[in-house]
Amino acid sequence: MSPGSDLAALIQSVPLFSDIGGGDLEELESLLVPCDCAEGDVLFRQGDPADRVFLIVSGAVAVRAGAPAEGEVTLVEAAGRGSILGEMALNQSMQHEATATAKSDLATLTLDVETFAGLRRSRRPIAWKILRRLARQMSQRLRDVTRALSTNFGSTGANADEATGALARAPSAPDGEARVPEGRYVEFLRVLPFFRHFDEASVRQLLGSMRQWQLKRGALICEEASHATSCFIVVRGAVEITSRSEHRPAQRFGVVGPGRMVGEVSLLEPGPRTATCVAREDAVLLELGQEALDRFLEPTSSLAFPLLEALNANLIAAQLRTNAYGARLAAEHPGGPHDPLP
Amino acid sequence: MCRVLVYLGPRIALRDLLYASDNSLIRQTHDPKMLRMLNLAGCGVLAWDPTSRLPEEPLAYHSVTLPVFDRNLFAMSDKIAATAVIAHVRGVPLSSQSTVGEQNLHPFRFPGVRLAMAHNGGLAHFERMRFALARHFRPEVGAHIRGNTDSEWVYALLLSQLTDPHALHTAEEIIAAVRRTLDIIRAVREEHDIHTSSSLNLFLSNGRCIVAVRYVLDFGCYELDDPAHVRETDLAYLSLWYTRGAEYGQRDGEWRMLAGSGGGGAVLIASEPLTRDVSTWLELPEYSALSASFRPDGGNLDLFSAEL
């Protein structure tokens, strides 16, 4: 395939593949398998194992998700040429979160998830490029969804006074005590979700560039709309993620426990922080700064792949958590907390 | 670690709730989807039927027989229909230290009391705090404890927070009692320097309303003695899902809440969705409660959610 071909142009027009060129482009093209569908065909159903990623060449696809009482939410009215579906499965085994149906006769190219997993295991540069783009895309998507939820929905009943009080100051660092991580930490870290695919040496290498914080319940970790210089991994305890403003009560997007990361969106895709994070329980966090994160994500770093996969897994969990929050709001809006059933 | 469900809505055959769907409660005894633990220590069901002989008294069934092999439960489930149900399958560590017996089966319902409760979770270091908890019991409530589970003690503590444990309570009164119960447990833990993650997913009903609570004390605070002792429930909040609609039934071979077929509204809350297709279920937020109540006029249900 020549770099100037229509197919090459199509592939490179997809943001996920925009860093792919030259030999990598030819390799990617060799992995793509044509798959044509007739109007009305179901490409995949919500809950099915995600075994392929679809790149639409021509035609259109509608993407819908189920809701209680036989409801249905249209996520994408008509995804057309250049759209990609199911790409989160490139990072890990997972189920489809929605159902995709051909709105017209459809030509697609599919990328087998297991084949890509082989590229990940072999630490191929093409896999690094795609995973890195996936991280940026998911970060931007989370930023957009979080903003939309904050704008379109009112309070879910969170404590407005608490939110206002917490905004009285914006610390540049978490409101707790910094300590040097102790040796035994590595053993505990390796049972936590974020570190499960790191070997011991990698964990120690990462730990050498991180700072540990011990926080009391209620301590402010980072604030929405502030400038981000680091992200945080929860080692022990829990962190509450909210959207807060001086002008409206807080919305709680979720609570994360040990082995989850917060604050990474603004480091992966630069911009102001998308949410406020507060210690929901007495917590221990590990702080990783922007410079160290960028260094470890370089393709030549031995930590690049496990770190990218851990970051993407965390972003996927955040996306699912935010989707669940949005689904619940959609089901309960506009009745609020008192909602007589129809 | 247990799996539980509560239901409120139009009369429904117990068979449909307990057995019918592809991730039914009975199936969750040996093949739960959101828990890496078997639930083999018995089953309990309370079911209220307003057309039965004593409508305020639920059918009560408790057995340590593995429900998959329980012919009595299976046969009975097709004969019983109810408008409110609590059902529980009990999970305990596979150890000779675990006590498997009928006295430890949920749901708990003390004599003369309308409110019943089942629990999914566990209080860490319960043995150290149990007698301090007992100080907060009403004596007439505590006297009914028969087993050795933390769950039954939580139930007794909760009943003791109600002005009249024998009355028919509203969902709001039950949630207020839950708040006071959590405060007491938190204070007792503080007294005894207990700060280990402890899940308290509670499922309550009195036949007229249902309440579900999704809560963890000191979430994420695992034991620090040995990494091998870090549990699945230390790292992730115990799941709790709900679905609602006009009635729970089958459509195109799938069990789900159905829309507007003339039913008055139904709510089903469970540790995990009863179907592998979770698209029609919603997850209850952490640190919150959800309730559903029959209206006095017998119309649609009132749904209420609260942060704890």
Side-chain angles (χ1 to χ4, degrees):
Chain A
M1 178 179 70
S2 69
S5 72
D6 283 348
L7 190 53
L10 172 65
I11 292 171
Q12 288 185 304
S13 75
V14 178
L16 189 65
F17 302 139
S18 57
D19 295 327
I20 307 298
D24 288 341
L25 190 56
E26 290 180 7
E27 182 176 8
L28 180 58
E29 194 269 340
S30 73
L31 298 174
L32 295 173
V33 177
C35 175
D36 295 344
C37 304
E39 180 181 346
D41 283 352
V42 175
L43 279 71
F44 51 79
R45 292 186 194 282
Q46 190 169 1
D48 285 349
D51 57 3
R52 292 183 290 174
V53 175
F54 290 82
L55 167 60
I56 299 173
V57 178
S58 66
V61 174
V63 182
R64 300 186 182 93
E70 302 185 285
E72 196 173 64
V73 176
T74 298
L75 301 176
V76 179
E77 188 66 47
R81 179 178 169 85
S83 296
I84 195 157
L85 304 172
E87 70 276 19
M88 291 196 295
L90 292 176
N91 192 72
Q92 64 201 53
S93 298
M94 59 186 295
Q95 296 176 327
H96 284 295
E97 294 297 308
T99 298
T101 309
K103 293 189 69 170
S104 66
D105 288 349
L106 199 65
T108 74
L109 294 168
T110 63
L111 175 58
D112 182 72
V113 160
E114 266 312 302
T115 301
F116 188 80
L119 298 178
R120 286 196 347 246
R121 285 191 292 269
S122 306
R123 307 204 168 187
R124 298 293 302 283
I126 185 176
W128 180 88
K129 291 175 184 175
I130 292 174
L131 291 178
R132 188 70 180 92
R133 272 289 159 190
L134 184 64
R136 288 198 172 117
Q137 261 186 234
M138 287 199 289
S139 297
Q140 186 58 52
R141 195 178 302 159
L142 262 174
R143 183 185 294 285
D144 293 341
V145 167
T146 304
R147 185 185 305 122
L149 287 172
S150 301
T151 304
N152 295 334
F153 290 97
S155 167
T156 57
N159 188 325
D161 291 339
E162 194 179 304
T164 305
L167 291 169
R169 57 189 170 81
S172 58
D175 187 21
E177 182 185 346
R179 289 189 182 173
V180 175
E182 298 172 0
R184 186 123 208 258
Y185 249 65
V186 174
E187 297 176 59
F188 279 96
L189 289 180
R190 293 190 69 207
V191 301
L192 303 184
F194 192 88
F195 296 100
R196 278 192 186 139
H197 300 295
F198 287 76
D199 59 32
E200 183 178 334
S202 298
V203 174
R204 290 191 183 281
Q205 187 179 357
L206 202 56
L207 205 52
S209 295
M210 301 175 92
R211 182 166 60 165
Q212 177 188 302
W213 291 91
Q214 293 201 330
L215 308 176
K216 297 303 257 183
R217 188 178 187 206
L220 182 63
I221 297 163
C222 59
E223 196 165 3
E224 184 178 356
S226 65
H227 175 63
T229 58
S230 57
C231 55
F232 304 88
I233 299 172
V234 182
V235 175
R236 198 160 183 271
V239 171
E240 185 172 77
I241 304 168
T242 62
S243 173
R244 300 182 174 193
S245 164
E246 290 182 9
H247 309 293
R248 55 174 164 74
Q251 289 179 282
R252 191 177 78 197
F253 292 134
V255 176
V256 296
R260 295 294 178 196
M261 178 181 266
V262 295
E264 77 281 22
V265 164
S266 293
L267 301 192
L268 294 169
E269 188 63 16
R273 289 208 185 272
T274 56
T276 295
C277 295
V278 171
R280 185 59 168 87
E281 310 284 358
D282 288 355
V284 175
L285 309 182
L286 284 172
E287 181 183 12
L288 180 65
Q290 176 87 70
E291 183 276 330
L293 178 68
D294 290 344
R295 176 163 36 89
F296 289 134
L297 286 178
E298 285 295 319
T300 52
S301 165
S302 61
L303 265 60
F305 269 92
L307 186 55
L308 258 182
E309 289 170 346
L311 284 168
N312 281 334
N314 198 75
L315 288 166
I316 290 170
Q319 182 72 60
L320 298 179
R321 188 171 56 240
T322 309
N323 289 350
Y325 173 72
R328 197 168 62 248
L329 282 186
E332 294 169 1
H333 193 78
H338 296 270
D339 186 10
L341 294 171
Chain B
M1 181 55 75
C2 311
R3 302 280 83 179
V4 197
L5 70 82
V6 283
Y7 168 84
L8 195 74
R11 287 179 82 234
I12 186 170
L14 278 188
R15 175 80 59 88
D16 293 345
L17 274 183
L18 301 182
Y19 288 91
S21 58
D22 54 16
N23 192 40
S24 68
L25 185 71
I26 300 305
R27 189 181 180 88
Q28 290 171 34
T29 56
H30 57 280
D31 189 22
K33 295 292 171 285
M34 297 188 178
L35 184 72
R36 283 191 289 229
M37 184 171 178
L38 301 178
N39 303 285
L40 307 176
C43 175
V45 181
L46 295 179
W48 287 261
D49 179 4
T51 68
S52 66
R53 180 174 157 266
L54 296 170
E56 293 179 352
E57 292 291 315
L59 163 85
Y61 184 87
H62 295 81
S63 174
V64 295
T65 301
L66 197 59
V68 174
F69 304 131
D70 190 340
R71 293 183 186 182
N72 291 332
L73 178 62
F74 187 72
M76 190 173 58
S77 69
D78 216 14
K79 294 290 290 181
I80 306 288
T83 56
V85 177
I86 309 182
H88 177 274
V89 292
R90 186 167 178 241
V92 296
L94 300 177
S95 157
S96 59
Q97 301 302 308
S98 297
T99 307
V100 176
E102 282 193 20
Q103 73 279 14
N104 283 343
L105 293 178
H106 317 205
F108 302 102
R109 182 170 171 268
F110 289 165
V113 168
R114 302 287 297 268
L115 185 64
M117 190 200 89
H119 170 218
N120 175 203
L123 285 179
H125 303 292
F126 171 61
E127 67 287 352
R128 283 168 47 197
M129 51 186 285
R130 65 165 73 203
F131 295 111
L133 287 177
R135 289 202 303 265
H136 298 275
F137 289 167
R138 289 172 182 267
E140 69 275 19
V141 169
H144 289 299
I145 291 177
R146 290 289 174 266
N148 66 345
T149 65
D150 52 359
S151 305
E152 193 179 16
W153 285 59
V154 171
Y155 174 60
L157 186 61
L158 192 152
L159 286 182
S160 301
Q161 308 315 306
L162 296 162
T163 307
D164 176 5
H166 300 88
L168 180 69
H169 302 97
T170 64
E172 285 79 3
E173 289 171 330
I174 296 169
I175 291 174
V178 167
R179 290 184 196 278
R180 289 191 288 274
T181 302
L182 293 174
D183 287 344
I184 291 169
I185 296 174
R186 199 177 290 116
V188 169
R189 283 162 60 93
E190 192 64 42
E191 265 175 51
H192 292 76
D193 199 27
I194 297 169
H195 301 288
T196 307
S197 181
S198 297
S199 300
L200 279 168
N201 280 11
L202 306 178
F203 300 75
L204 301 113
S205 183
N206 53 19
R208 296 297 303 165
C209 70
I210 58 175
V211 175
V213 173
R214 190 180 185 206
Y215 203 89
V216 178
L217 294 157
D218 293 304
F219 172 43
C221 297
Y222 42 83
E223 297 281 13
L224 291 173
D225 58 337
D226 186 341
H229 293 165
V230 176
R231 304 166 301 175
E232 177 187 352
T233 51
D234 291 328
L235 305 182
Y237 233 80
L238 265 184
S239 60
L240 209 163
W241 294 69
Y242 69 99
T243 184
R244 61 176 192 174
E247 59 182 330
Y248 186 66
Q250 211 173 8
R251 179 89 81 217
D252 300 328
E254 297 280 338
W255 283 88
R256 64 185 65 182
M257 278 293 182
L258 306 176
S261 61
V267 174
L268 183 51
I269 312 173
S271 300
E272 56 183 83
L274 302 187
T275 54
R276 292 186 189 184
D277 176 3
V278 305
S279 63
T280 59
W281 291 72
L282 300 169
E283 201 166 8
L284 193 66
E286 303 90 347
Y287 306 105
S288 70
L290 180 70
S291 70
S293 307
F294 285 127
R295 292 183 181 171
D297 62 3
N300 293 327
L301 300 182
D302 277 331
L303 204 69
F304 176 75
S305 62
E307 287 194 17
L308 299 174

